[in-house]
Amino acid sequence: MPPPPIQLLPLATFTPDLYTRAWQSTPHPSLPLLATTHDKTVTVFSLATFSKHSSLTGGHSRSIRSCAWQPSSSSQNLRLVTGSFDSTAGIWTYNPAATLEKPIGQGEEEEEEEEEWEFTLVLEGHENEVKSLSFSPSGQYLATCSRDKSIWIWEHLSGGEDGEEDEDWETVAVLSEHDGDVKTVAFAPGFKQGKRHDGRRYGSDCLASGSYDDTVRVWREDQDGEWGCVSVLEGGVGTVWGVEWEKRERENGRYQRLMTAGAEGGVKVWELKEEEGEEEEGDSRWGGVPNRMRQSLREEWEVKGVLPRVHTREIYSVGWSGESGLVATTGGDGLLVVYEEDEETNEWKVRAKVEGAHGPYEVNHVTWCRRFDKGAEGRQEEMLVTTGDDGVVRAWEVRIGEVIDAKFVPAFQSGTPEEGWYGTVV
């Protein structure tokens, strides 16, 4: 029996338009908030109303390229980190008093009596613009990467007097093995892994980085707290613009797969090659090994899949759903494409695509996020959010099973629908 059809339908345009190139939109892990970077500002939108909730301004001297929510932050202690072209990363915290005045998820009031976001700390060290940010699953570590070819790993030393959170951050590693700009970094999700990765050989955190040098590197922390590169992935996709970890726990404790997307319009799926023999309890691969010898201790990752080539230009962003397992890509050609893996053959197929998702503009970012709006039918229903050079942030319904005639679907509130905006069913 063929799989049910998938259709991408316009759901909403977040308001207001930003009127300048927007780089990235990042949903909060649990709250109905979406942070979008543009110019020297981050606009936080409500996922319940598709309208502006608040904004972060005045912290950076140049455009903000990326942002990341600290996973451990709650509605009473929100923390957002921004990466800027001014070569710094900024730590922002949400004012608890303002939170009480305006519940999380509601739109912006006409008059704001006090500043809601406080720019509390600047992380300095990079020599050029900060391209990407990523938190470890626990929120303890933050990775930043830059055009200066380096990756910095920072540790949040939390816990002050009377249980209050302190903005105390410490540099724990500077990784400089890439030969070109480091475009992107991403920590693997925090799942319980098999014997090989249960913390005896390495720490629980794993980081992937993609670079202008056409490679992806995988990094781990050893038992002595030293970070090192354990694998170099070379896949012929050109400059690596995006890396994305699988977000669903795998069977038999297998490690999460990794997707890499590049300038040549291709996406590859990598899987860790497990060793057949398992060491005895308490054995450690790096424990007791001098630092100078650790470079020879490597993991082997192999290509286990290739997504159908649809894009004609660079793929800037990949989103891998933790609910459905669907994958979405966007890039310089303006396409929004959704893929699905055949569980029997493990082959990937194109299931839906939208041409000109942002009209003639490039689409810089795509992400899956939970729906909080009134039209959501279930707690786990997902949507796609795209962010483009036109300064517009768009939400897309991912309809599975029932195909709707395009003429009965309302268009986005801004702009004129073009052919393909309602999603081609493949």
Side-chain angles (χ1 to χ4, degrees), residues 27-34 47 73-76 78 104 370 372:
H28 188 276
S30 58
L31 299 172
L33 297 175
L34 181 80
L47 290 172
S73 61
S74 66
S75 61
Q76 297 297 314
L78 283 177
I104 294 295
R370 176 182 158 191
F372 289 88

Side-chain angles (χ1 to χ4, degrees), residues 7 9-10 397 399 402-412 417 422:
Q7 191 176 24
L9 303 173
E397 178 185 358
R399 181 172 289 270
E402 180 185 1
V403 177
I404 297 179
D405 193 320
K407 66 182 180 181
F408 297 114
V409 180
F412 285 114
Y422 299 111

Side-chain angles (χ1 to χ4, degrees), residues 39-52:
D39 199 25
K40 303 173 187 177
T41 303
V42 176
T43 296
V44 179
F45 293 104
S46 164
L47 290 172
T49 62
F50 301 111
S51 61
K52 180 180 176 182

Side-chain angles (χ1 to χ4, degrees), residues 291-319:
N291 288 344
R292 65 181 181 276
M293 298 175 58
R294 290 177 178 172
Q295 292 298 322
S296 63
L297 299 174
R298 300 283 186 176
E299 295 178 348
E300 183 177 350
W301 288 73
E302 53 189 352
V303 177
K304 284 295 188 178
V306 179
L307 272 60
R309 189 176 290 269
V310 181
H311 290 275
T312 58
R313 295 182 60 188
E314 302 94 335
I315 296 177
Y316 292 147
S317 179
V318 181

Side-chain angles (χ1 to χ4, degrees), residues 49 157 170 193 224 270 281 345 381 396:
T49 62
L157 306 176
E170 179 179 86
Q193 307 295 347
D224 298 325
W270 300 80
E281 183 74 24
T345 65
E381 186 174 353
W396 302 82

Side-chain angles (χ1 to χ4, degrees), residues 74-135:
S74 66
S75 61
Q76 297 297 314
N77 187 30
L78 283 177
R79 183 176 286 106
L80 186 74
V81 181
T82 50
S84 170
F85 281 84
D86 65 12
S87 77
T88 70
I91 311 294
W92 304 75
T93 56
Y94 194 65
N95 187 341
T99 305
L100 295 175
E101 294 296 326
K102 181 175 63 180
I104 294 295
Q106 288 189 6
E108 183 182 47
E109 300 291 339
E110 293 184 2
E111 295 184 3
E112 298 180 5
E113 296 181 357
E114 56 183 317
E115 293 292 330
E116 297 170 321
W117 288 94
E118 180 182 0
F119 190 62
T120 57
L121 190 67
V122 178
L123 302 180
E124 297 179 304
H126 286 292
E127 298 177 0
N128 301 103
E129 62 260 32
V130 176
K131 300 269 190 174
S132 177
L133 306 160
S134 180
F135 270 106

Side-chain angles (χ1 to χ4, degrees), residues 325-361:
L326 295 173
V327 169
T329 59
T330 55
D333 56 9
L335 286 176
L336 169 60
V337 186
V338 172
Y339 313 79
E340 186 176 27
E341 184 180 24
D342 187 310
E343 295 183 357
E344 295 183 358
T345 65
N346 296 121
E347 293 182 357
W348 290 85
K349 298 180 180 179
V350 177
R351 296 302 314 280
K353 67 177 181 179
V354 173
E355 298 177 0
H358 284 244
Y361 296 93

